[in-house]
Amino acid sequence: GGGRVGRGVLPVRDSACPTVQQLQRMDHPSGGAVREPLLAARPRRPDSVFAPVVSETIQVAGRKIEVWNDECFKQLRQSHGIPDSFLNMHKEQSVDLKHARAESKLGKGGEQQYISRDAKFIIKSVSGADHKSLLLRAKAYVARLLTGNSLLVPIYLHFRDPSTNKVYIAMRNLTPEQVPWDEKYDLKGCADDKTLMRQGKVIEPVRRRFYRIDMWCRCAWTPERWTYYDGKVHARALRLEFPPQQRDEILRLVQQDADWLIAQGLMDYSLFVAIRRVDRNGGCTAAATPQVVRQFAMLDGEDVVFVTLGIIDFLQPWTAAKKVAKCIKSLEFNKATIPPPAYGARFKQHFAELLKVDERLRPLSLVTSGPEEGATMQRTSARASRVASQGVCC
């Protein structure tokens, strides 16, 4: 848990980002050089971690915090135009870490999520495994995002609240609440695919657990369970059509990110997809998302369609607990709990099939004047584009 992090270990004298070799050396019996490369396919999980340091420049809602690897994350904040005061703009009103956002219950892990007052950032509590995973991979992760060729959701801060000893990450909100969204999906390419929102309504998760005997008989399902199940069927059958250039760019990013995640020994991640439709005659303005968020625009008849994409929940390593879960779920078809190489290969294959090309479609350009400014559409070269989903029975 967060309260045990950093006890009895060597403290960091400054906030310089530790390398993978440094973290591995702490657990190496000889204390000598480690032969494994920076991007080893299976980086070893350290038994101890560097202690956090009190930040001299960052506060969260008016409170002092302890940070890890902030020299790394500061590079990403600066690259994306994020000031150190991004979670302290309104002092104690900037973030309320006592009241979680409603979307927290949409995830399986149960980690609480909080939203910044300006809705640009999500603060998420992290488990011990995810916390250590980010400690181990912070430098490689930031380097990946600084290339500008990634769908990984940006994480800007890894910190602990000393008053509660809880550990959090602060990341970009891909779908700010100031604008309505029509559809949201969490896609892994397996039986865990699900619809988060449909026709503007959030779909409450009603999961079938092995200890819920009533859930194993469809005759006992509630309307909420049927809605959730229908959303899963819909998500598995989802197909997205893009112009050739957009489809090729998205697929390239997905495949490159999946290769990086395989090399890092990570699995159980998802592609988050959000779709919003607006009247083309009612002012074609994109959501206030910066250029670091991947958003694609297209025309569908009289509507303009915006599609936002990002890879989320990518800190899960292949642990002993996951190996046990794989055995428990041995009878489950197309499960999420498989080793990173197999998970990544399936992820790439799934989106190669899900993303479709329509030669008739042409993209609309999103023009941004700065990292933190809203986007507007450029119509000059556009004709028509659309996003379609096809339902099939299963």
Side-chain angles (χ1 to χ4, degrees), residues 1 5 13 28 47 54 56 77 127 138 159 278 294 303 317 335 348:
V5 174
R13 296 182 182 273
H28 199 272
D47 291 332
V54 177
E56 299 296 331
R77 292 197 301 270
S127 65
F159 71 97
V278 297
R294 296 285 178 169
D303 293 335
K335 53 184 172 289
K348 292 190 290 184

Side-chain angles (χ1 to χ4, degrees), residues 259-280:
D259 288 338
W260 184 87
L261 291 163
I262 292 171
Q264 293 295 320
L266 299 171
M267 43 79 67
D268 211 17
Y269 41 87
S270 306
L271 182 68
F272 174 80
V273 179
I275 301 172
R276 184 170 72 96
R277 295 177 174 84
V278 297
D279 187 344
R280 63 179 296 188

Side-chain angles (χ1 to χ4, degrees), residues 156-177:
Y156 296 123
L157 188 64
H158 184 192
F159 71 97
R160 181 168 71 186
D161 182 352
S163 66
T164 62
N165 272 342
K166 291 183 178 180
V167 179
Y168 302 90
I169 57 174
M171 56 189 179
R172 169 66 66 179
N173 183 6
L174 300 180
T175 54
E177 278 79 357

Side-chain angles (χ1 to χ4, degrees), residues 72-89:
C72 290
F73 294 110
K74 185 175 183 178
Q75 295 179 51
L76 190 58
R77 292 197 301 270
Q78 290 177 341
S79 176
H80 292 181
I82 309 295
D84 284 353
S85 59
F86 74 109
L87 294 180
N88 202 40
M89 293 290 192

